[in-house]
Amino acid sequence: MNLGQAGEHGPRTSRRPVSAPVDLAGWLGAHSNLIAERWSEGLLAGRNSGSRAGESLVNAFCRGLVSFLPGMLSPYRAQILPLWSECAELYGSVAARRGLSAGEVIEEFQILREVIVRLMFERPLSAHGALQMRDVLQLNRAVDIGVTQASVGHTDLLFFNLVDGSGGPAPLGRDDMDEVVEQIRTLREEGGRTMRHMARIGRE
């Protein structure tokens, strides 16, 4: 067969269909429970949670932080960013009270990136369209911001304890854990309300 054979309207050319851009934010939202579960498993496998309450706290952080990721890749990123940053900073300050070093905090947060990348290969996005470089970069920036803010939260808590002369940060008691879980829940609910509000405005 002559690939250059001319037809009625000129030379025939073989063209690949152009794939539609994949909705990475939607993919993250659809897999958020699994991502949070695997991140939590990675954290609990690497550290001693100390108690069932400590395990609940880790689970709450993972679910809360992962819930912000779709918004961090959406047109409403500017509205979600402060909530993501605040939750990541809280994660770092709590990590200091869990007895973790600054390097361990960074390592724990980096596990989130690894979980997402592994899941991308396990459940390829390419089946749903073409992955956009812009979305991948935004996701990486989001995780990088989380790592930075967690480190800030960890460092700030240690610094203020040093300035106050109180020595190392006090370990988390059951009441402290309950309070942190409530803070995470409040941030997560605010994120959900923000996304719904901004989406409603976008439709008007």
Side-chain angles (χ1 to χ4, degrees), residues 98-160:
R98 288 167 54 209
L100 270 63
S101 68
E104 288 171 327
V105 175
I106 293 172
E107 180 184 329
E108 284 200 343
F109 219 101
Q110 293 283 15
I111 292 174
L112 172 59
R113 194 193 319 262
E114 181 179 333
V115 166
I116 294 172
V117 171
R118 286 181 180 275
L119 193 59
M120 282 181 174
F121 280 90
E122 184 180 316
R123 303 190 180 184
L125 288 83
S126 57
H128 307 284
L131 187 59
Q132 301 296 293
M133 178 65 74
R134 179 195 62 191
D135 292 339
V136 175
L137 291 175
Q138 283 188 338
L139 176 58
N140 266 297
R141 287 193 194 106
V143 177
D144 287 342
I145 290 169
V147 169
T148 299
Q149 292 304 121
S151 181
V152 167
H154 182 278
T155 302
D156 282 355
L157 184 69
L158 294 181
F159 174 76
F160 287 119

Side-chain angles (χ1 to χ4, degrees), residues 7-175:
E8 185 180 346
H9 301 290
R12 291 179 183 173
T13 57
S14 175
R15 293 184 180 178
R16 280 179 150 183
V18 178
S19 298
V22 71
D23 180 11
L24 181 54
W27 183 89
L28 288 168
H31 294 85
S32 59
N33 289 338
L34 183 56
I35 292 170
E37 179 183 331
R38 291 189 178 180
W39 187 19
S40 177
E41 288 173 353
L43 297 180
L44 293 172
R47 308 273 177 248
N48 181 9
S49 62
S51 67
R52 190 172 298 275
E55 183 176 333
S56 298
L57 180 59
V58 169
N59 289 335
F61 263 122
C62 292
R63 289 192 300 269
L65 284 161
V66 170
S67 73
F68 295 122
L69 286 177
M72 289 292 288
L73 271 67
S74 76
Y76 322 122
R77 180 180 182 276
Q79 287 74 30
I80 299 299
L81 176 58
L83 302 175
W84 166 256
S85 298
E86 184 176 346
C87 197
E89 189 171 340
L90 180 62
Y91 181 94
S93 63
V94 168
R97 298 186 66 180
R98 288 167 54 209
L100 270 63
S101 68
E104 288 171 327
V105 175
I106 293 172
E107 180 184 329
E108 284 200 343
F109 219 101
Q110 293 283 15
I111 292 174
L112 172 59
R113 194 193 319 262
E114 181 179 333
V115 166
I116 294 172
V117 171
R118 286 181 180 275
L119 193 59
M120 282 181 174
F121 280 90
E122 184 180 316
R123 303 190 180 184
L125 288 83
S126 57
H128 307 284
L131 187 59
Q132 301 296 293
M133 178 65 74
R134 179 195 62 191
D135 292 339
V136 175
L137 291 175
Q138 283 188 338
L139 176 58
N140 266 297
R141 287 193 194 106
V143 177
D144 287 342
I145 290 169
V147 169
T148 299
Q149 292 304 121
S151 181
V152 167
H154 182 278
T155 302
D156 282 355
L157 184 69
L158 294 181
F159 174 76
F160 287 119
N161 272 274
L162 182 63
V163 169
D164 292 341
S166 55
L172 287 163
R174 181 59 187 261
D175 290 343

